[in-house]
């Protein structure tokens, strides 16, 4: 199969670097365009990103000498791009919204890691195993916005909720409705990009505040679990969520400690573990290249999951869960972990792109 040419906006950042690493040998997609801020534009990728390269591999040879383009220079976009991944940061969300709209208007689908469009009602916010039907919103968005050349925007949700939401969704589809969740996250420093959190703030320390993160953790699940309506997603507000988000001295891997209360039927511990271990969804049925074989892995060892030991399970795409036990206030509590820059960012978006391709929504 001839590979599809794609672009990465924000290719020099932490998430952008992960795209380059993960896509190096992708069977369907080939990187044909690299863009970042005006600071990097005109330089080779190695000159622009070399000093802040964080990946455990060398910069791929195929990328090193590519000249970085300015994200906002719309005239220099190669003609043959099928879509772009967006991992840019900008001073305001409105600026990001505008850039992403401009690509969609030009006919280029955008799969974004940014939070800017997460609450745009006709923009789907996708976790491949949960709400793959939300891609039905794409034709509605194209009509609403006059994207008549095939462009559209889809986004990926916040990285920390990837750790626990699939586990919650698996219980819901098995018929065990959740009433309340209390979530405490322990989030890795790579979640703040590069250079991110100052070392003196986080080494030997825990920072009990991450701007905007608790709101995202509490609100985004309602859209993800919602249904496609005529004008956009109709949220599902049936689960009450309260969260505390903290930054911890871990490089990669967001952990979430979750207390859950069921609405009526309460499954046994054995049933919950079986539901998690057996959960599969459309990405697994379609055998997509980035789909983890087992999306939720329950670890029996009493002291797991741990970021360093478990974040790379199934190439960083599986969610690792453990420590399921009775809760004295709610019904159960457990600990969940996912790789924030893979499952929670670049890898999750690559899976979304594969779903879109499998559904013929990108050419
Ligand atoms: P980062 O390391 O700070 O990288 C930011 C990227 O944006 C760089 O390529 C940078 O280019 C580019 N950029 C900065 N200012 C720009 C401008 N004015 N115009 C165009 N490009 C500009 O950030 P990151 O961690 O990769 O995160 C990128 C996005 O993904 C953010 O919205 C973040 O919230 C989201 N996200 C991150 C994670 C994570 O775990 N890190 C997870 C999920 C979602 P230069 O190198 O040229 O400055």
């Amino acid at each position: 199969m001839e590979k599809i040419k794609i672009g990465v906006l924000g290719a020099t950042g932490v998430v952008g670097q992960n795209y380059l690493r993960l896509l190096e040998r992708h069977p369907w997609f080939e990187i044909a365009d690299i863009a970042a801020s005006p600071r990097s534009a005109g330089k080779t990728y190695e000159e622009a990103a070399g000093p802040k390269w964080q990946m455990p591999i060398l910069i791929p040879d195929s990328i090193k000498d590519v000249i970085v383009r300015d994200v906002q220079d719309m005239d220099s976009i190669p003609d043959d791009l099928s879509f772009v991944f967006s991992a840019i940061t900008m001073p305001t969300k409105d600026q990001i919204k505008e850039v992403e709209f401009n690509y969609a208007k030009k006919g280029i689908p955008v799969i974004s890691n940014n939070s800017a469009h997460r609450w745009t009602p006709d923009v789907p916010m996708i976790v491949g195993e949960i709400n793959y039907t939300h891609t039905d919103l794409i034709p509605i968005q194209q009509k609403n916005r006059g994207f008549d050349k095939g462009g559209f925007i889809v986004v990926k949700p916040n990285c920390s909720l990837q750790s626990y939401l699939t586990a919650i969704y698996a219980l819901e589809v098995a018929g065990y409705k959740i009433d309340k969740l209390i979530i405490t996250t322990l989030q890795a420093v790579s979640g703040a990009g590069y250079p991110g959190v100052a070392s003196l703030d986080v080494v030997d320390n825990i920072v009990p505040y991450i701007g905007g993160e608790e709101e995202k953790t509490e609100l985004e699940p309602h859209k993800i679990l919602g249904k496609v309506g005529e004008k956009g997603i109709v949220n599902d507000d049936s689960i009450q969520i309260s969260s505390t988000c903290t930054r911890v001295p871990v490089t990669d891997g967001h952990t979430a400690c979750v207390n859950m209360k069921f609405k009526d039927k309460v499954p046994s511990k054995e049933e919950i573990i079986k539901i998690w271990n057996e959960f599969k969804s459309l990405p697994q049925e379609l055998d997509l290249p980035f789909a983890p074989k087992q999306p939720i892995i329950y670890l029996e060892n009493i002291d797991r999951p741990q970021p360093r030991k478990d974040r790379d399970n199934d190439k960083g795409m599986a969610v690792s869960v453990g420590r399921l036990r009775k809760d004295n206030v709610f019904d159960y509590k457990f600990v969940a972990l996912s790789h924030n820059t893979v499952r929670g960012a670049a890898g999750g978006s690559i899976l979304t792109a594969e779903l879109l391709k499998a559904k013929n929504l990108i050419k």
Side-chain angles (χ1 to χ4, degrees):
M1 182 174 108
E2 202 180 324
K3 289 193 186 182
I4 288 174
K5 293 192 173 16
I6 64 118
V8 180
L9 313 181
T12 51
V14 169
V15 176
Q17 293 174 19
N18 271 284
Y19 277 119
L20 305 195
R21 171 174 77 94
L22 295 172
L23 288 169
E24 207 193 347
R25 287 189 198 88
H26 194 281
W28 301 355
F29 307 141
E30 175 187 344
I31 297 174
D33 182 46
I34 282 177
S37 78
R39 290 179 293 277
S40 302
K43 296 180 183 165
T44 64
Y45 185 78
E46 191 170 31
E47 285 166 346
K52 50 184 181 177
W53 182 253
Q54 295 294 315
M55 298 299 101
I57 58 162
L58 296 173
I59 298 177
D61 283 341
S62 55
I63 302 289
K64 267 200 294 207
D65 299 323
V66 174
I67 303 295
V68 180
R69 207 172 52 73
D70 178 350
V71 164
Q72 297 207 64
D73 180 1
M74 302 300 290
D75 294 333
S76 63
I77 304 171
D79 290 334
D80 52 358
L81 283 192
S82 285
F83 68 93
V84 292
F85 291 110
S86 171
I88 49 173
T89 53
M90 291 182 97
T92 68
K93 284 190 183 179
D94 283 343
Q95 286 170 290
I96 296 179
K97 277 186 179 174
E98 195 187 332
V99 168
E100 294 183 346
F101 270 139
N102 287 341
Y103 277 77
K105 258 186 241 153
K106 208 176 154 84
I108 302 174
V110 179
I111 301 168
S112 178
N113 294 90
N114 295 303
S115 59
H117 274 301
R118 287 189 196 150
W119 287 100
T120 306
D122 57 358
V123 170
M125 173 155 58
I126 294 189
V127 179
E129 284 86 357
I130 301 181
N131 59 346
Y132 50 83
T133 57
H134 287 197
T135 55
D136 294 350
L137 207 53
I138 290 172
I140 299 173
Q141 183 197 116
Q142 289 174 319
K143 193 164 167 249
N144 283 352
R145 313 254 163 205
F147 295 157
D148 51 7
K149 296 180 189 155
F152 58 82
I153 301 170
V154 301
V155 295
K156 196 206 60 60
N158 180 251
C159 43
S160 64
L161 59 82
Q162 318 275 331
S163 317
Y164 65 88
L165 195 59
T166 311
I168 294 300
Y169 173 74
L171 296 172
E172 289 241 319
V173 286
Y176 296 107
K177 298 292 173 201
I178 307 285
D179 186 23
K180 293 185 173 70
L181 293 172
I182 292 186
I183 297 153
T184 305
T185 67
L186 299 91
Q187 300 187 204
V189 285
S190 61
Y194 185 85
V197 192
S199 56
L200 277 180
D201 283 334
V202 79
V203 174
D204 187 28
N205 205 11
I206 291 174
V207 183
Y209 171 74
I210 308 175
E213 206 72 1
E214 288 168 0
E215 293 79 353
K216 291 175 192 165
T217 307
E218 291 173 0
L219 296 174
E220 290 181 13
H222 299 306
K223 184 171 179 183
I224 297 165
L225 299 173
K227 298 265 175 294
V228 177
E230 277 173 24
K231 292 188 182 139
I233 299 295
V234 180
N235 291 348
D236 177 337
D237 295 331
S238 59
I239 306 180
Q240 268 182 284
I241 306 176
S242 169
S243 78
T244 302
C245 295
T246 73
R247 186 76 70 195
V248 296
V250 163
T251 51
D252 290 310
H254 287 351
T255 301
C257 303
V258 182
N259 304 60
M260 64 178 168
K261 183 165 174 30
F262 289 90
K263 278 203 194 302
D264 36 47
K265 279 191 298 176
V266 181
S268 68
K269 181 179 170 185
E270 292 68 32
E271 264 176 295
I272 295 177
I273 293 172
K274 187 167 184 294
I275 288 167
W276 282 342
N277 278 334
E278 291 180 358
F279 174 75
K280 287 198 172 33
S281 184
L282 187 63
Q284 286 70 38
E285 282 163 30
L286 296 173
D287 198 17
L288 298 176
F290 262 62
K293 296 276 169 280
Q294 185 180 330
I296 306 166
I297 301 173
Y298 188 80
L299 302 167
E300 294 286 350
N301 284 13
I302 196 67
D303 61 352
R304 305 286 274 273
Q306 295 178 18
R308 189 157 45 79
K309 296 177 181 170
D310 298 311
R311 62 193 167 207
D312 291 322
N313 284 338
D314 209 332
K315 301 186 202 76
M317 289 299 287
V319 174
S320 300
V321 184
R323 301 217 60 218
L324 180 67
R325 61 226 191 269
K326 282 275 181 197
D327 184 277
N328 290 335
V329 180
F330 283 7
D331 292 316
Y332 285 99
K333 49 192 168 184
F334 63 93
V335 179
L337 167 85
S338 70
H339 196 305
N340 55 300
T341 59
V342 181
R343 177 80 234 196
S349 293
I350 294 170
L351 184 63
T352 299
E354 292 170 353
L355 261 176
L356 294 168
K357 172 79 184 82
K359 290 184 170 199
N360 276 327
L361 287 158
I362 46 181
K363 305 286 174 230

